[in-house]
Amino acid sequence: MIKRIASTLLALSLGIATAHASIACHGKFFNPVSDPNWNDGYPITVAGASIGGNSNPPMMHENAICSCPTPYGQMPGVGITYWQPSYLAEVERTGGCFASLGGKELFPNYEELDSGQQISGDMTKGNPGNVFMNVHWYKYPLFAVMDLFSGLACRMVGGFDLADMTEVESSWNVAGWSSITNPIGILFANPVGQVSCIPDAIASSLGYPLDLEFWCGGTTGVVYPLNGMAQASNGPDDTNMHDLYKYMLRDSGVGLLLATIGPWATCHPAYLPQWIKSQYRIDPVGPIPLKGSPIVVGETPFRWDGHPPAVTPVDTSNTFLIWVGTQCCAF
């Protein structure tokens, strides 16, 4: 009897140790030189002449000769479009863990927000088939941080800055609060809404997400409700991307992410109540950086040129570099 109790206690202790190890803080320092997929920066268009490969979304266009209002009247300029790395996002399974800072658990008192995410896709926190993840959002104007293209018009300025962490936000951690702050989600978070996302899933897989279907995240389905709970679908890469979309749509609604392409952004970024999905390219840089063709919002991980998963059996969190399409009328 004593041996049986001892063996049971040993098994429990090993199970607890294994569970603790599975949600340990993992990561590596983001390398701004080798980790980004620099192919995401193309094409660059100046006065109608295009440089580099890839293609721009249909709405991303600037006339060869443009003009914008100034205090001194209309000022003529040269139209430029390009892509710039602007934000870094960690979709993290361990509360308070910062993967891109070397896997440091800077805030150790958020264990209750740890996810049960596993590499197999068996992810739970409260409801079977669901996974809960937190997002850490950094302003990372990489061109400015690395002092690149200093003469480039409309380049995002500033330095590295941790802008947000969802561990401290009840609207992200509590489902009821997210429904109150974004009641429009009730219209879409249902089977009819899921069916309506089929066209966006097809278009995203072809490289052209449908901006009008703002409630959709391509192959990941309906983005609402805007909290950290996502449905476990095609593995951690896909599920982490879904949580990233939730965060980006939420920040667009409150004016923290502005529209940078389209007719409303000819002279400067503009506020729109919903996000413009086609203005973003998602670059998985951790734990395994992926290279190849640009990844658009909603594209299935099975089409990523880097051959996912971008995660590892030990680390199922993701770090994404967000490239933003930019229109500019350069004086």
Side-chain angles (χ1 to χ4, degrees):
M1 182 66 179
I2 294 176
K3 290 182 178 179
R4 183 179 300 175
I5 294 174
S7 62
T8 302
L9 291 174
L10 178 60
L12 287 172
S13 64
L14 289 174
I16 292 172
T18 302
H20 179 72
S22 68
I23 58 174
C25 183
H26 298 282
K28 66 180 184 66
F29 282 101
F30 170 65
N31 187 322
V33 176
S34 62
D35 288 348
N37 179 15
W38 293 104
N39 187 50
D40 284 353
Y42 296 106
I44 301 171
T45 302
V46 180
S50 183
I51 304 170
N54 305 324
S55 60
N56 287 331
M59 278 202 305
M60 186 172 171
H61 173 75
E62 192 81 46
N63 292 330
I65 303 299
C66 53
S67 65
C68 288
T70 71
Y72 309 102
Q74 287 290 123
M75 182 71 71
V78 176
I80 299 174
T81 66
Y82 63 96
W83 297 81
Q84 57 178 324
S86 303
Y87 304 101
L88 197 67
E90 298 169 348
V91 184
E92 179 57 54
R93 65 182 301 209
T94 304
C97 174
F98 291 81
S100 64
L101 299 180
K104 302 298 182 182
E105 194 167 357
L106 302 181
F107 299 94
N109 297 321
Y110 291 98
E111 291 84 0
E112 71 278 4
L113 298 179
D114 287 352
S115 167
Q117 187 183 59
Q118 302 295 330
I119 191 68
S120 64
D122 179 17
M123 318 168 192
T124 59
K125 183 184 184 292
N127 298 315
N130 287 346
V131 57
F132 176 87
M133 303 288 279
N134 275 291
V135 176
H136 305 147
W137 188 260
Y138 302 88
K139 291 182 179 179
Y140 207 116
L142 194 54
F143 289 165
V145 170
M146 298 180 66
D147 196 24
L148 298 174
F149 311 115
S150 57
L152 190 62
C154 303
R155 187 187 70 164
M156 188 176 180
V157 298
F160 177 81
D161 177 35
L162 175 60
D164 190 20
M165 53 181 290
T166 57
E167 284 92 335
V168 299
E169 300 177 11
S170 57
S171 63
W172 186 263
N173 300 316
V174 182
W177 280 111
S178 64
S179 299
I180 293 173
T181 54
N182 293 280
I184 190 176
I186 298 173
L187 299 175
F188 306 110
N190 53 61
V192 175
Q194 290 287 358
V195 172
S196 72
C197 289
I198 293 176
D200 185 50
I202 297 173
S204 297
S205 295
L206 296 175
Y208 297 97
L210 302 180
D211 290 315
L212 290 178
E213 290 199 333
F214 62 86
W215 61 92
C216 300
T219 58
T220 67
V222 175
V223 179
Y224 291 96
L226 303 184
N227 56 43
M229 191 72 73
Q231 183 178 1
S233 50
N234 296 323
D237 284 308
D238 191 71
T239 305
N240 294 350
M241 197 76 89
H242 193 196
D243 263 328
L244 176 66
Y245 300 159
K246 287 169 173 275
Y247 183 89
M248 293 173 68
L249 174 55
R250 190 194 66 164
D251 268 19
S252 298
V254 297
L256 297 178
L257 287 176
L258 300 176
T260 59
I261 69 171
W264 40 76
T266 298
C267 295
H268 50 74
Y271 168 75
L272 292 178
Q274 307 298 343
W275 62 338
I276 302 298
K277 295 182 289 185
S278 61
Q279 75 178 28
Y280 300 109
R281 288 175 174 172
I282 312 298
D283 183 4
V285 294
I288 302 175
L290 298 186
K291 311 298 182 180
S293 301
I295 298 171
V296 303
V297 169
E299 183 176 343
T300 173
F302 296 114
R303 292 194 69 253
W304 296 359
D305 283 355
H307 305 294
V311 296
T312 71
V314 174
D315 189 357
T316 57
S317 303
N318 273 116
T319 301
F320 300 104
L321 182 64
I322 314 298
W323 292 71
V324 180
T326 303
Q327 294 177 191
C328 184
C329 186
F331 302 142

